[in-house]
Amino acid sequence: MSSLVLLVLMLVSGSVLPLPNTGLTVWLALVGLGLFSTALAYILYFRLLESAGATNLLLVTLLIPSVATGLGVAVLGESLDAADYAGVAMIGVGLLTIDGRLLVAAMPKL
């Protein structure tokens, strides 16, 4: 939508910024980012929203620090301290608590 607004503004103002000399690889990368990273991600997001519900879908955002830490170790060769392990464990316990599985497992069956 922003591209369409900018197109209208460009046509009204009559000025166009000069484009750098880009090759086919750059344009294919832009199309790939637009289609897969944006359009496909939104389709997947709204399908998950419909099937899992808003609360469960938003719980995934709490996993971002743990995944980023794991990728730092795997890809960048970073090392973890005790505080890092404790933080990941606290996120895991928090997710399990919000999900309700810890509470159900801890309750005695009558």
Side-chain angles (χ1 to χ4, degrees):
M1 192 65 195
S2 63
S3 297
L4 292 176
V5 170
L6 287 174
L7 177 66
V8 170
L9 290 174
M10 180 202 62
L11 292 174
V12 169
S13 69
S15 66
V16 179
L17 294 175
L19 289 175
N21 189 10
T22 56
L24 180 63
T25 307
V26 173
W27 288 107
L28 290 176
L30 286 173
V31 169
L33 284 172
L35 288 177
F36 297 113
S37 297
T38 305
L40 189 61
Y42 271 110
I43 291 169
L44 180 64
Y45 176 81
F46 284 111
R47 292 233 174 132
L48 284 172
L49 178 62
E50 181 182 8
S51 65
T55 304
N56 287 330
L57 186 63
L58 291 177
L59 288 178
V60 173
T61 60
L62 298 175
L63 291 173
I64 292 172
S66 300
V67 171
T69 302
L71 285 173
V73 170
V75 176
L76 300 175
E78 296 176 351
S79 61
L80 299 180
D81 296 332
D84 299 321
Y85 289 110
V88 170
M90 287 172 53
I91 290 172
V93 169
L95 285 171
L96 289 173
T97 303
I98 292 170
D99 187 39
R101 293 180 193 179
L102 276 181
L103 186 59
V104 171
M107 293 179 75
K109 299 199 181 202
L110 299 174

